[in-house]
Amino acid sequence: MKLTPVLSANWDQKDLFTIDGYRRNGGYSAMKKALAMEPAAIISLIKESGLRGRGGAGFPTGLKWSFIPQGDGKPHYLVVNADESEPGTCKDMPLLLANPHVLIEGVIIASYAINSNQAFIYVRGEVVHVVRRLQQAVADAYAAGLLGKNIDGKGYDLDLVIHAGAGAYICGEETALLDSLEGFRGQPRLRPPFPAIAGLYACPTVINNVESIASVPAIINGGVAWFASMGTEKSKGFTLYSLSGHVKQPGQYEAPLGITLRELLELSGGVREGHTLKFWTPGGSSTPLFTAEHLDVPLDYEGVASAGSMLGTKALQIFDETTCIVRAVLRWSEFYQHESCGKCTPCREGTYWLVQILKDLEAGKGTEEDLDKLLDLCDNILGRAFCALGDGATSPITSSIKYFRSEYIAHLTAGQCPFDPVASTLFAGVNA
Amino acid sequence: MLLKEATSDQMDEIIARYPRSRSAIMPLLHLVQSIEGFVTPQGIELVASKLGLSTAEVSGVATFYTQYKRRPVGEYHVGVCTNTLCAVMGGDAIFAGLKEHLGIGNDERTSDGKVSLEHIECNAACDYAPLIMVNWEFFDNQTVESAKALVDSLRDGEPPAPSRGPDRLPTWKENSAVLAGLNDGHANEGVQAGPASLVGLEIANRQIPEIGEQR
């Protein structure tokens, strides 16, 4: 399969992030087209295209837009989730650094489609240069008459606010993001009601990932048939796959949905020299781990799900045989413990105990019964909280015990971790 | 009160961007940090009075988010990613090396007030691992040695430019103002993309188009 750069097609142009650079490449032409259409026709077009959410859940984007009630007399809001924080996920930040205007163009089209006059981009606060690029792009769009009153002379008004977060993974969860944007601690809400009915300020709200919204201008310009010519039956189009870890060329690879890791590794030069693939995440640390036996799993929503994991954010973190699975899983577990917002007891308490047990296991101090205790704890966290953070915490644990139980036991037999951490570093043998 | 004089108009301007004033609480807390360096009790009081909230409500929000600091950080706040992938690729060694080199622990700062250290979670640059953030600007592909040289230059007052960021590394307070929503005019500086962001595109550009394939 071939790579298909669309979102990343012009990232090699040094001034792409400026409004002139973007316009030189046809920027804002899709907006002109869209503003001449009926809003309902745009929603139908996005529905027909088969675009699904690129933030992890894969919900059909056009369908989400169609849930917004029309003629209800309430303000509607579009909120872009740019709180990219899922471990391994690194696609939206380079997209926004290189091309913030494509997101703004998508925001205008999506807001017009759902009859919204106020949009927000909630961007994580730990990436100041991305915030800067977005602020400048918004200012330039206002100055060019692309935001504000009577956009492009078409009688449509839209205001857009760039809102910087302040360091909380949980705010990537859509209802926690809304609470955070309303000025509260970022804690998830119980659903229903869903944000389409009662979202920001209890008004109808669409929340979409950066990549989903940034894909909209290309679909408007390219058309449904073009978009659906890429991808698989139920997973249409192109997407950004992020390769990281023990590979020769980590980076962003834009390809049709359904490409396999084997193909991506062949294209990118493979695992680092002299080493072999041990385990990987298909879509961030919250998606159950895969191993070398999953190299040919089609990386689309259905393919990954039927192999027992989730496509997630397509964050392919690659680990070779030098990596200790227990160390890796412990570290992810510490992350979930740290980021659990504390609202739901199973997640707050459960992630704490997972870490305690894993620390002992990594030090070779536990017993084999601790593995069953871990699985039992996971059983009591999964599906028992308002949001999926706790579910995500169980993914690396249950999948690693499934594939690497013997490695956990090897820690117990040896009374310590049998791995040399230096061997797994990027600079192993260089200056270590 | 210095804080109040410095920020009152800016606070009003930020509040005016939102349909409901309480939504401005996060940028206002960033703004407090841009003047005070951290979220001070006076800052909490000012934000509370501006928004018509109690100080307890504002404190409740401020303490939820890790970027809001309860005590002073360095002029340059150094974050070393020690989430799994960066940790394995060298982040653990870098963090240990910096603690030893600076003689400080996690969440501490050097006695000259120049540098503070924190281990951070995944910062969305895994293809540039191991990653260090200074004042939330990217310093890509670090080693133990490069990290030590980096903090030395920060302490010497000669900060290098970030890998993907503005030409000059801003201070903690300057970057807090950007997070508050105040555009500092440096957006057009720095690269549009780092090398790892472009590898896929470069490989794609070398692929031979299939016959009849549309561009």
Side-chain angles (χ1 to χ4, degrees), chain B residues 9-209:
Chain B
D9 289 349
Q10 287 173 334
M11 284 193 170
D12 292 337
E13 183 198 322
I14 290 166
I15 292 166
R17 294 175 187 170
Y18 293 89
R20 297 193 188 178
S21 62
R22 183 165 180 150
S23 284
I25 191 167
M26 292 178 73
L28 294 191
L29 288 168
H30 283 304
L31 189 67
V32 167
Q33 297 206 123
S34 78
I35 304 291
E36 307 269 80
F38 64 109
V39 178
T40 54
Q42 294 88 333
I44 298 261
E45 280 172 29
L46 180 58
V47 172
S49 74
K50 276 279 177 195
L51 298 179
L53 299 171
S54 70
T55 52
E57 286 173 302
V58 178
S59 287
V61 172
T63 52
F64 186 81
Y65 301 92
T66 53
Q67 279 183 280
Y68 299 131
K69 302 301 180 189
R70 315 292 319 267
R71 53 177 189 270
V73 295
E75 189 177 345
Y76 298 101
H77 185 63
V78 176
V80 182
C81 179
T82 58
N83 200 299
T84 298
L85 189 123
C86 272
V88 163
M89 303 281 286
D92 275 357
I94 291 169
F95 189 59
L98 286 185
K99 280 195 288 192
E100 190 204 355
H101 188 68
L102 293 168
I104 57 174
N106 184 44
D107 264 336
E108 291 178 5
R109 67 171 180 165
T110 53
S111 54
D112 59 7
K114 284 280 183 190
V115 172
S116 49
L117 192 60
E118 180 185 7
H119 73 82
I120 60 171
E121 298 300 352
C122 186
N123 220 93
C126 314
D127 44 352
Y128 297 96
L131 180 76
I132 286 182
M133 303 299 291
V134 181
N135 296 341
W136 308 116
E137 303 284 358
F138 295 109
F139 287 82
D140 299 335
N141 300 118
Q142 295 295 305
T143 65
V144 177
E145 294 313 312
S146 69
K148 286 179 182 172
L150 171 61
V151 295
D152 285 347
S153 59
L154 298 176
R155 296 189 78 178
D156 292 344
E158 292 170 358
S163 310
R164 293 172 288 145
D167 295 341
R168 182 187 66 82
L169 176 65
T171 63
W172 168 263
K173 289 180 179 178
E174 286 169 342
N175 266 359
S176 295
V178 177
L179 294 177
L182 306 176
N183 188 343
D184 66 3
H186 295 294
N188 290 351
E189 297 172 6
V191 294
Q192 85 288 4
S197 307
L198 296 176
V199 287
L201 177 60
E202 283 160 4
I203 290 168
N205 286 342
R206 289 198 299 269
Q207 288 178 334
I208 302 157

Side-chain angles (χ1 to χ4, degrees), chain A residues 1-5 8-18 77 84-91 93-94 97-99 118 120 122 124-136 139-140 161-168 170-171 176 179-187 200-203 226 242-247 249-254 267-269 285 316-319 322-324 327-335 338-339 341 421 424-427 431, chain B residues 14 17-27 30 33 53 57-68 81-94 118-130 133-138 141-146 162 164-170 174-210 213-215:
Chain A
M1 196 178 281
K2 297 167 70 70
L3 296 173
T4 50
S8 60
N10 302 312
W11 285 3
D12 52 353
Q13 298 182 24
K14 292 193 185 308
D15 65 342
L16 181 64
F17 54 79
T18 65
Y77 297 106
E84 181 170 61
S85 325
E86 169 74 12
T89 309
C90 49
K91 64 187 179 70
M93 295 307 115
L97 264 188
N99 195 358
Q118 176 71 61
F120 297 88
Y122 187 110
R124 67 181 301 183
E126 302 102 317
V127 285
V128 179
H129 207 49
V130 174
V131 175
R132 232 180 239 119
R133 289 259 159 98
L134 281 168
Q135 287 172 346
Q136 189 62 46
D140 291 344
V161 171
I162 304 300
H163 184 91
I170 188 63
C171 292
D179 263 33
S180 178
L181 186 53
E182 288 186 4
F184 295 88
R185 296 162 74 91
Q187 294 192 313
L200 188 67
Y201 313 127
C203 291
W226 166 78
S242 308
L243 262 185
S244 63
H246 293 135
V247 289
Q249 290 197 90
Q252 306 305 317
Y253 295 83
E254 197 173 354
L267 285 164
S268 65
S285 60
L316 309 164
Q317 303 176 88
I318 311 296
F319 298 91
T322 62
T323 314
C324 170
R327 178 185 176 206
V329 172
L330 166 61
R331 192 56 60 88
W332 279 320
S333 300
E334 289 175 325
F335 165 76
H338 182 253
E339 299 298 335
C341 78
S424 64
T425 62
L426 188 69
F427 36 86
N431 59 352
Chain B
I14 290 166
R17 294 175 187 170
Y18 293 89
R20 297 193 188 178
S21 62
R22 183 165 180 150
S23 284
I25 191 167
M26 292 178 73
H30 283 304
Q33 297 206 123
L53 299 171
E57 286 173 302
V58 178
S59 287
V61 172
T63 52
F64 186 81
Y65 301 92
T66 53
Q67 279 183 280
Y68 299 131
C81 179
T82 58
N83 200 299
T84 298
L85 189 123
C86 272
V88 163
M89 303 281 286
D92 275 357
I94 291 169
E118 180 185 7
H119 73 82
I120 60 171
E121 298 300 352
C122 186
N123 220 93
C126 314
D127 44 352
Y128 297 96
M133 303 299 291
V134 181
N135 296 341
W136 308 116
E137 303 284 358
F138 295 109
N141 300 118
Q142 295 295 305
T143 65
V144 177
E145 294 313 312
S146 69
R164 293 172 288 145
D167 295 341
R168 182 187 66 82
L169 176 65
E174 286 169 342
N175 266 359
S176 295
V178 177
L179 294 177
L182 306 176
N183 188 343
D184 66 3
H186 295 294
N188 290 351
E189 297 172 6
V191 294
Q192 85 288 4
S197 307
L198 296 176
V199 287
L201 177 60
E202 283 160 4
I203 290 168
N205 286 342
R206 289 198 299 269
Q207 288 178 334
I208 302 157
E210 282 162 19
E213 189 180 54
Q214 284 185 312
R215 275 210 67 207

Side-chain angles (χ1 to χ4, degrees), chain A residues 86-88 261 277-295 297 299 304-311 315-320 323-333 336 358 391-405 407-408, chain B residues 83-85:
Chain A
E86 169 74 12
L261 180 62
L277 174 65
K278 181 174 175 179
F279 62 94
W280 54 292
T281 66
S285 60
S286 301
T287 62
L289 296 169
F290 276 168
T291 65
E293 68 181 86
H294 302 99
L295 274 167
V297 170
L299 296 175
V304 179
S306 63
S309 188
M310 290 172 285
L311 184 64
L316 309 164
Q317 303 176 88
I318 311 296
F319 298 91
D320 69 20
T323 314
C324 170
I325 186 77
V326 185
R327 178 185 176 206
V329 172
L330 166 61
R331 192 56 60 88
W332 279 320
S333 300
Y336 290 107
L358 279 163
D391 299 351
T394 70
S395 291
I397 295 173
T398 48
S399 58
S400 65
I401 293 177
K402 179 177 168 189
Y403 298 120
F404 298 103
R405 193 180 186 100
E407 197 170 308
Y408 280 91
Chain B
N83 200 299
T84 298
L85 189 123

Side-chain angles (χ1 to χ4, degrees), chain A residues 111-122:
Chain A
S111 301
Y112 174 73
I114 64 164
N115 191 19
S116 163
N117 302 110
Q118 176 71 61
F120 297 88
I121 298 173
Y122 187 110

Side-chain angles (χ1 to χ4, degrees), chain A residues 66 75 381 386 409:
Chain A
S66 73
I381 295 172
F386 275 40
I409 293 168

Side-chain angles (χ1 to χ4, degrees), chain A residues 51-361:
Chain A
L51 175 66
R52 294 171 65 176
R54 302 295 194 233
F59 194 83
T61 305
L63 189 61
K64 197 184 243 189
W65 295 2
S66 73
F67 290 156
I68 297 294
Q70 295 301 333
D72 56 341
K74 286 184 180 173
H76 299 168
Y77 297 106
L78 176 76
V79 179
V80 177
N81 185 346
D83 193 44
E84 181 170 61
S85 325
E86 169 74 12
T89 309
C90 49
K91 64 187 179 70
D92 295 336
M93 295 307 115
L95 189 159
L96 294 175
L97 264 188
N99 195 358
H101 282 285
V102 73
L103 180 65
I104 293 173
E105 184 174 12
V107 163
I108 299 168
I109 297 168
S111 301
Y112 174 73
I114 64 164
N115 191 19
S116 163
N117 302 110
Q118 176 71 61
F120 297 88
I121 298 173
Y122 187 110
V123 57
R124 67 181 301 183
E126 302 102 317
V127 285
V128 179
H129 207 49
V130 174
V131 175
R132 232 180 239 119
R133 289 259 159 98
L134 281 168
Q135 287 172 346
Q136 189 62 46
V138 166
D140 291 344
Y142 268 103
L146 301 167
L147 286 171
K149 298 281 177 212
N150 192 20
I151 292 173
D152 212 35
K154 297 290 197 306
Y156 171 62
D157 304 339
L158 177 67
D159 283 307
L160 173 58
V161 171
I162 304 300
H163 184 91
Y169 167 68
I170 188 63
C171 292
E173 196 282 333
E174 62 178 16
T175 61
L177 187 154
L178 292 178
D179 263 33
S180 178
L181 186 53
E182 288 186 4
F184 295 88
R185 296 162 74 91
Q187 294 192 313
R189 303 173 179 175
L190 194 62
R191 286 165 294 189
F194 287 91
I197 305 301
L200 188 67
Y201 313 127
C203 291
T205 303
V206 163
I207 305 156
N208 278 141
N209 171 257
V210 168
E211 191 188 341
S212 313
I213 293 291
S215 298
V216 167
I219 297 172
I220 298 284
N221 271 335
V224 167
W226 166 78
F227 187 73
S229 72
M230 291 171 271
T232 55
E233 192 192 339
K234 290 181 178 167
S235 303
K236 301 293 187 197
F238 47 84
T239 196
L240 288 162
Y241 292 94
S242 308
L243 262 185
S244 63
H246 293 135
V247 289
K248 282 188 191 135
Q249 290 197 90
Q252 306 305 317
Y253 295 83
E254 197 173 354
L257 280 157
I259 197 168
T260 65
L261 180 62
R262 187 187 301 282
E263 290 170 315
L264 281 167
L265 287 176
E266 277 168 10
L267 285 164
S268 65
V271 172
R272 65 175 177 160
E273 201 64 51
H275 293 278
T276 53
L277 174 65
K278 181 174 175 179
F279 62 94
W280 54 292
T281 66
S285 60
S286 301
T287 62
L289 296 169
F290 276 168
T291 65
E293 68 181 86
H294 302 99
L295 274 167
D296 295 310
V297 170
L299 296 175
D300 62 8
Y301 300 99
E302 289 71 30
V304 179
S306 63
S309 188
M310 290 172 285
L311 184 64
T313 54
K314 305 141 296 147
L316 309 164
Q317 303 176 88
I318 311 296
F319 298 91
D320 69 20
E321 83 291 345
T322 62
T323 314
C324 170
I325 186 77
V326 185
R327 178 185 176 206
V329 172
L330 166 61
R331 192 56 60 88
W332 279 320
S333 300
E334 289 175 325
F335 165 76
Y336 290 107
Q337 180 207 357
H338 182 253
E339 299 298 335
S340 174
C341 78
K343 182 164 184 162
C344 309
T345 309
C347 173
R348 182 186 66 240
E349 302 298 318
T351 52
Y352 172 83
W353 286 107
L354 292 174
V355 168
Q356 303 309 308
I357 295 170
L358 279 163
K359 271 186 178 165
D360 272 358
L361 287 171

